[in-house]
Amino acid sequence: MSKSISDQVAVIGMGCTRFGEHWDKSTDDLVIEAAYEALKDAGIEQSDVDAAWIGTMDSGYAGFTLSSPLKTNYIPVTRVENMCATGSEAFRQACYAVAAGAYDVALVVGVEKLKDSGYSGLVIDEGANDGTDPNLTAPAAFSFIAPAYFKKYGLDAETGKKVLARIAWKNHVNGAKNKKAQYQKEIPMEAIMQSPMVASPLGVLDCSGVADGAAAAIIVRSEDAPKYQAQPMYVKALSVAVGPGEGMLTQDFDFTSIRENAVAAEEAYRQAGIKNPAQEIDMAEVHDCFTPTELIIYEDLGFSERGEGWKDVMSGKFDINGDLPVNPDGGLKSFGHPIGASGLRMLYEMYLQFQGRAGERQLNDPKIGLTHNLGGFPWQCVSFISIIGKEKAQ
């Protein structure tokens, strides 16, 4: 069980590139753009940074991925990888280092350059294994969620398809209001439902895209935050659950829940003192790699009762003007998923919302937010949750 560092550290500056097809930019360019925006936002110089963390899956090695483009002056730089929670993991480690008193000011950057790397989102090198693992693409693995959920909770195929399409529709509506999103266009429900099939029942528009991007954050202790930033973002909880890979071996695993999500959520809520997440959380950014994933995330995180998530989708509960807006920035559906950057991109949206800087998608005075990543497969994954707040508890 983790020790809570609730309200001990704060974010005083953030930056984020536009996500998309950056054929004309290198990994170095993206790191520089995100980091410099964060430094400027915090009102500090690069020389004020005591240590840095860089999160990337495949776009660099060791701390040189950050130290070389930024020309940092021999400070410690740690390179982090934890599947799709890579950027969030880098953020978590920096927060703990600052809370422990090891450093006063930490820089975190998450980056991934996928578009000209040959990465397709379909073929992934799993590395050496004993040959018994199923040879599944990510869309295929997550497609199993949909028919399992429909059967368990009594949805016919057409109704289920509409539920999934509405999740994608919602996220594209939000992304159309975001100048940093890869896709800035609303997409009609009909077009989503009729999109070319990838892994039944998932069409192309049920899947997040492939993109380049970077995001960054500056972290200090909470008592120091007002010296730099009039509106810092306070860290309430940081939780990671890594599965033992037993999902496909157990009789009760049925693809309608990802155990790591529920465990990470329970731990995060304990750290933050949250008893009723559906009522106490004002907004969330969740890992909508595929539309059925977002559907069961609602239930795993306690936003909906078991079997009720699909009804909440159709009622508009998670719309930008709903009771609990989810993915107000457009999510992975609108941004794509440059692995190392996605977690920090989610935190960037929380930061803008708390400061009232989210433009057309600005919510009405949110106080508590949640970000969530998952990486791997439904039966074995890494799940991350942060809870952040606009105000420090008294």
Side-chain angles (χ1 to χ4, degrees):
M1 185 174 291
S2 303
K3 303 295 183 183
S4 176
I5 61 166
S6 183
D7 285 334
Q8 293 182 33
V9 298
V11 177
I12 59 166
M14 292 203 74
C16 186
T17 69
R18 187 183 66 80
F19 282 30
E21 298 184 347
H22 291 301
W23 305 108
D24 59 339
K25 293 183 179 180
S26 67
T27 300
D28 287 1
D29 294 327
L30 297 173
V31 168
I32 290 167
E33 182 179 341
Y36 280 14
E37 182 184 343
L39 291 165
K40 181 179 179 180
D41 185 55
I44 66 173
E45 301 296 328
Q46 186 173 293
S47 59
D48 295 322
V49 174
D50 299 318
W53 278 257
I54 177 75
T56 189
M57 185 180 74
D58 276 331
S59 297
Y61 302 96
F64 305 128
T65 312
L66 183 146
S67 68
S68 180
L70 294 184
K71 298 296 182 284
T72 54
N73 192 23
Y74 301 96
I75 63 171
V77 181
T78 304
R79 184 254 181 176
V80 174
E81 182 276 323
N82 207 356
M83 299 192 80
C84 298
T86 289
S88 296
E89 179 67 37
F91 179 79
R92 184 177 75 106
Q93 292 189 22
C95 286
Y96 279 123
V98 170
Y103 307 107
D104 294 327
V105 180
L107 166 66
V108 186
V109 179
V111 66
E112 212 72 59
K113 190 81 173 69
L114 296 178
K115 291 303 296 188
D116 43 4
S117 70
Y119 180 90
S120 71
L122 291 175
V123 180
I124 301 172
D125 181 10
E126 294 295 328
N129 58 62
D130 64 3
T132 61
D133 290 338
N135 185 18
L136 294 170
T137 65
F142 284 88
S143 72
F144 298 151
I145 293 171
Y149 186 95
F150 301 164
K151 181 178 180 180
K152 185 171 182 176
Y153 298 116
L155 281 71
D156 60 66
E158 182 178 357
T159 300
K161 186 71 173 174
K162 288 180 180 178
V163 171
L164 300 184
R166 200 185 187 290
I167 291 171
W169 172 82
K170 165 185 71 71
N171 290 344
H172 281 293
V173 167
N174 296 348
K177 300 178 175 67
N178 195 326
K179 298 302 182 183
K180 293 197 174 185
Q182 181 179 24
Y183 306 116
Q184 300 172 24
K185 182 179 179 181
E186 295 187 25
I187 301 178
M189 285 274 291
E190 295 77 13
I192 296 170
M193 293 184 68
Q194 296 171 13
S195 65
M197 198 65 66
V198 174
S200 183
L202 306 187
V204 169
L205 293 175
D206 288 296
C207 309
S208 62
V210 177
D212 303 329
I218 308 291
I219 300 160
V220 301
R221 285 184 294 279
S222 292
E223 61 266 29
D224 296 331
K227 296 189 299 185
Y228 302 99
Q229 173 62 256
Q231 295 178 292
M233 179 171 73
Y234 295 97
V235 175
K236 307 288 184 178
L238 299 165
S239 174
V240 172
V242 182
E246 297 174 349
M248 293 288 268
L249 304 176
T250 58
Q251 294 297 314
D252 61 349
F253 181 75
D254 66 358
F255 282 94
T256 65
S257 173
I258 296 175
R259 179 61 178 160
E260 291 87 343
N261 286 341
V263 171
E266 182 180 359
E267 169 64 9
Y269 298 152
R270 181 192 64 81
Q271 291 181 23
I274 287 178
K275 306 298 183 185
N276 187 340
Q279 295 296 320
E280 297 177 61
I281 291 171
D282 299 316
M283 59 181 173
E285 287 283 326
V286 306
H287 201 91
D288 59 314
C289 49
F290 306 98
T291 49
T293 316
E294 182 168 332
L295 175 61
I296 64 170
I297 287 169
Y298 299 145
E299 299 180 13
D300 285 342
L301 271 53
F303 297 168
S304 297
E305 296 295 327
R306 292 290 177 189
E308 298 293 312
W310 72 273
K311 297 177 184 177
D312 290 339
V313 169
M314 300 307 286
S315 73
K317 177 177 180 177
F318 305 117
D319 293 357
I320 202 163
N321 59 354
D323 292 339
L324 203 174
V326 173
N327 293 338
D329 72 349
L332 275 68
K333 278 300 289 108
S334 294
F335 273 82
H337 181 29
I339 292 90
S342 288
L344 283 158
R345 183 268 300 164
M346 295 174 174
L347 287 160
Y348 181 74
E349 177 66 11
M350 302 287 103
Y351 183 75
L352 295 181
Q353 290 284 351
F354 288 143
Q355 294 186 345
R357 295 166 52 198
E360 292 182 69
R361 62 188 187 281
Q362 181 62 50
L363 305 178
N364 183 23
D365 194 25
K367 297 289 198 303
I368 296 291
L370 177 149
T371 70
H372 161 268
N373 294 117
L374 67 86
F377 295 107
W379 55 86
Q380 181 184 30
C381 78
V382 175
S383 183
F384 167 89
I385 290 178
S386 80
I387 298 174
I388 53 277
K390 181 178 181 178
E391 301 167 351
K392 186 177 178 181
Q394 300 300 318

